[in-house]
Amino acid sequence: MNLPLNRRLFMVGAAAIAVSGPAFANTTHIVEMLNRHPDNKKLRNVFSPSVLKVQPGDTITFMPTDKGHNSVSIDGMMPKGASGWKGKNSKEVSVTLDLPGIYGYKCQPHYGLGMVGVIIVEGEGMGGNLDAAKDVKQRGKAKAAFVDHWDQIKAQGLLTPPAEQ
Ligand SMILES: [Cu+2]
């Protein structure tokens, strides 16, 4: 190739942006499945973190750090058009979420003990299924655990759209 120097520099720069630009890079997030909360040993059977905000197209990997847990999406706690997931007991499972919104999930063996979590996929209308997700009937300690999660989401402003640039 025998391009003028300024043209070649432009191409190098464009390639660097395409590789390093954060808008193009999808991330994998780890959620550990644990017998005890890492910061509070009195809390048993937890996802860590139990509330997580990600970008569309990001992957969440549920790690069986402790055995005897799984991750399963909860019917009615996903944005319209999203498909759920069902991890096997004590097995790693990964899910890639594309649609903005709120995703609720549980560990089947410990659902009644409050082992549940929430993922928020950022984007327009991400809070659109909040009321529907809150309306899903929960049992046992899952009820209080979700209330804690909704409180945390509100307190941290996780459903607030980013400020206009
Ligand atoms: Cu569990």
Side-chain angles (χ1 to χ4, degrees):
M1 239 179 354
N2 197 5
L3 294 167
L5 181 62
N6 59 353
R7 173 74 182 144
R8 268 184 284 168
L9 286 175
F10 170 78
M11 289 171 73
V12 168
I17 288 165
V19 169
S20 68
F24 300 97
N26 283 122
T27 307
T28 296
H29 308 264
I30 303 292
V31 174
E32 288 189 287
M33 303 189 281
L34 300 172
N35 291 344
R36 289 173 196 277
H37 192 283
D39 304 321
N40 181 356
K41 303 289 181 209
K42 286 180 187 167
L43 281 179
R44 307 183 80 165
N45 304 308
V46 292
F47 293 102
S48 179
S50 56
V51 173
L52 176 67
K53 188 172 182 180
V54 307
Q55 296 298 313
D58 281 359
T59 296
I60 299 94
T61 298
F62 297 92
M63 295 293 292
T65 307
D66 292 324
K67 305 294 173 204
H69 306 283
N70 71 350
S71 169
V72 181
S73 54
I74 297 177
D75 289 344
M77 300 186 82
M78 277 177 285
K80 233 180 208 121
S83 32
W85 65 92
K86 185 171 184 176
K88 291 196 172 88
N89 207 344
S90 302
K91 297 284 186 218
E92 180 181 323
V93 63
S94 291
V95 56
T96 299
L97 302 177
D98 296 314
L99 295 176
I102 294 161
Y103 296 72
Y105 62 91
K106 63 185 174 185
C107 165
Q108 284 176 315
H110 302 114
Y111 166 78
L113 296 174
M115 187 167 172
V116 294
V118 176
I119 298 165
I120 298 164
V121 177
E122 186 161 347
E124 211 179 315
M126 62 185 159
N129 71 320
L130 177 64
D131 288 341
K134 282 182 170 179
D135 281 348
V136 172
K137 201 166 180 218
Q138 309 293 346
R139 288 180 288 107
K141 290 184 179 167
K143 208 168 179 174
F146 271 120
V147 169
D148 281 351
H149 293 345
W150 305 136
D151 287 348
Q152 186 185 334
I153 287 164
K154 194 174 178 187
Q156 295 180 358
L158 297 182
L159 292 174
T160 307
E164 300 284 329
Q165 298 296 310

